[in-house]
Amino acid sequence: MVTCRRVVAVDRDTESRLSYADREGHHHTVDLSPASPRVTIGRSPGSDLPLTEDDEVSRLHAVVECVGSHWTILDDGLSRNGTFVNGERLAGRRRLRQGDSIRIGATRIRYQEFGGGPDEATRMGTDMPDVRSLTETQRGVLTALCRPYKHGAAFANPASNQQIAQELFLSVDAIKTHLRTLFAKFGVGDLPQNQKRVRLAERAMRSGIINERDL
């Protein structure tokens, strides 16, 4: 059995991994660590996860990136035939969760986490806002909040109130008011203060309201 492994030191409690079988039935795994926060998937032999024999796969098809403390998958127009997570075509960036099934071309890839606790953000409500339900200023605040995550920057933190205010030419008090409204709209208002901004940024990106092009 041929096994392709990306072996790196894991410096957090949860070890994550991508696993898949090639057309000959050989099993491959790619270990994920924030120490190597960007993993490319594509038909190019130089990809971190190369799918060289699948002609439905683009040379650079998708990217798995560590954003904050979470692994995400991004296909923001990179591929011709699209990337599917649990049967749903990916649009922009999506956070990966234990057991997610990723289909790229004819290849199915499984995302696994080991040692992690229960996911406190397991599901987004059906009343999650969309672009049409946000004002132009609210979307601007979200974009500025998420900007530090551009290109999947590892260990990034959301922008501060002062940074957002400077970018949008608004007062800090105005930014606080808009954020309180956004916390409520995205269902994170009851979280501890030190978690609200991270969860808001995560949900805005996962929902597709904010994507890589916006940042």
Side-chain angles (χ1 to χ4, degrees), residues 71 87 114 171 173 188 195:
W71 285 96
F114 304 97
S171 69
D173 286 342
V188 299
Q195 295 182 21

Side-chain angles (χ1 to χ4, degrees), residues 6-215:
R6 179 189 180 92
V7 181
V8 290
V10 177
D11 55 6
R12 61 175 177 162
D13 292 337
T14 302
E15 180 185 358
S16 300
R17 178 175 297 160
L18 301 173
S19 60
Y20 67 102
D22 62 25
R23 291 186 175 183
E24 296 180 353
H26 297 147
H27 183 72
H28 303 262
T29 61
V30 176
D31 290 345
L32 305 175
S33 166
S36 300
R38 189 172 190 269
V39 175
T40 57
I41 304 174
R43 200 173 71 251
S44 169
S47 300
D48 299 305
L49 196 161
L51 301 174
T52 56
E53 298 179 0
D54 192 334
D55 57 11
E56 295 180 19
V57 176
S58 300
R59 287 185 61 80
L60 175 59
H61 196 103
V63 177
V64 173
E65 294 180 314
C66 188
V67 176
S69 60
H70 304 295
W71 285 96
T72 67
I73 185 166
L74 172 68
D75 180 348
D76 198 7
L78 295 174
S79 69
R80 179 184 297 271
N81 294 316
T83 299
F84 297 80
V85 179
N86 301 327
E88 180 182 350
R89 183 161 184 158
L90 182 64
R93 184 187 301 275
R94 175 168 174 166
R95 178 183 168 185
L96 291 171
R97 302 180 186 279
Q98 163 60 21
D100 276 352
S101 174
I102 304 164
R103 182 172 67 80
I104 293 179
T107 303
R108 292 191 179 274
I109 303 166
R110 186 183 180 198
Y111 174 75
Q112 299 170 280
E113 290 182 350
F114 304 97
D119 187 350
E120 72 278 10
T122 53
R123 197 170 46 188
M124 295 192 296
T126 56
D127 58 348
M128 180 66 59
D130 57 21
V131 173
R132 292 171 296 179
S133 69
L134 300 177
T135 67
E136 183 177 346
T137 302
Q138 287 170 351
R139 194 166 185 278
V141 170
L142 278 179
T143 301
L145 179 78
C146 297
R147 202 172 302 286
Y149 294 107
K150 186 176 178 63
H151 302 313
F155 311 115
N157 291 312
S160 68
N161 290 343
Q162 184 65 46
Q163 289 171 322
I164 299 172
Q166 289 176 347
E167 178 173 333
L168 300 181
F169 301 102
L170 295 172
S171 69
V172 171
D173 286 342
I175 298 303
K176 290 179 179 179
T177 299
H178 286 301
L179 283 174
R180 282 194 293 269
T181 301
L182 289 166
F183 290 153
K185 283 191 173 188
F186 282 81
V188 299
D190 293 332
L191 292 178
Q193 192 63 35
N194 63 346
Q195 295 182 21
K196 288 181 182 180
R197 302 170 72 86
V198 173
R199 290 290 179 260
L200 176 59
E202 173 191 310
R203 291 189 175 195
M205 291 187 292
R206 184 181 171 219
S207 67
I209 290 175
I210 303 299
N211 59 49
E212 186 77 9
R213 287 190 297 267
D214 298 319
L215 304 182

